[in-house]
Amino acid sequence: MAYAIFEIEKENERIIDEIKKDDLVSRQSIWTRDAKSLGLEGEKIYLKIEGDEEAIEKAKEIIGDKGKLLEGGEAEKINEKFVADEEKASEGMGFIFG
């Protein structure tokens, strides 16, 4: 499954609401994390969209210059942090309901 990760400045975070309102994009898996929750410096927000390639292209159009599409190693590094964060949350739920 395809995914894209966008880096969005805090002052542009309202674009995430527009993403979630779009019919095509909103049907994909969407995660947001601030830099600090991923162990990074700064006031940025990271948006991960996983799903259909067409929906990812639509998200790129909506975000435009209000965010930066991460590519290559940079995107992989942030994706690993998203995955680790999700696994940690799943383990916590397993511990609670185990």
Side-chain angles (χ1 to χ4, degrees):
M1 192 170 293
Y3 73 88
I5 298 178
F6 299 89
E7 181 181 82
I8 300 169
E9 297 292 333
K10 193 79 164 162
E11 65 264 13
N12 292 326
E13 86 178 292
R14 287 190 175 174
I15 196 71
I16 296 169
D17 292 334
E18 290 182 42
I19 288 289
K20 291 178 179 179
K21 288 179 185 174
D22 182 81
D23 184 52
L24 177 61
V25 182
S26 67
R27 288 185 268 145
Q28 312 309 304
S29 296
I30 300 172
W31 297 273
T32 58
R33 300 285 188 277
D34 64 13
K36 290 181 182 158
S37 72
L38 295 176
L40 303 170
E41 303 259 335
E43 295 293 318
K44 298 180 186 331
I45 297 172
Y46 293 90
L47 170 68
K48 177 180 176 182
I49 301 172
E50 186 176 80
D52 183 66
E53 195 69 46
E54 183 181 350
I56 291 172
E57 288 301 317
K58 177 72 176 196
K60 289 178 191 176
E61 289 175 26
I62 294 169
I63 291 172
D65 64 352
K66 295 201 189 296
K68 173 185 168 190
L69 174 65
L70 302 182
E71 298 179 305
E74 192 176 18
E76 287 178 30
K77 176 183 148 189
I78 299 299
N79 188 51
E80 287 172 8
K81 291 182 179 291
F82 268 96
V83 170
D85 192 47
E86 288 297 314
E87 287 174 355
K88 191 168 77 174
S90 293
E91 289 172 7
M93 292 301 284
F95 181 73
I96 292 170
F97 296 108

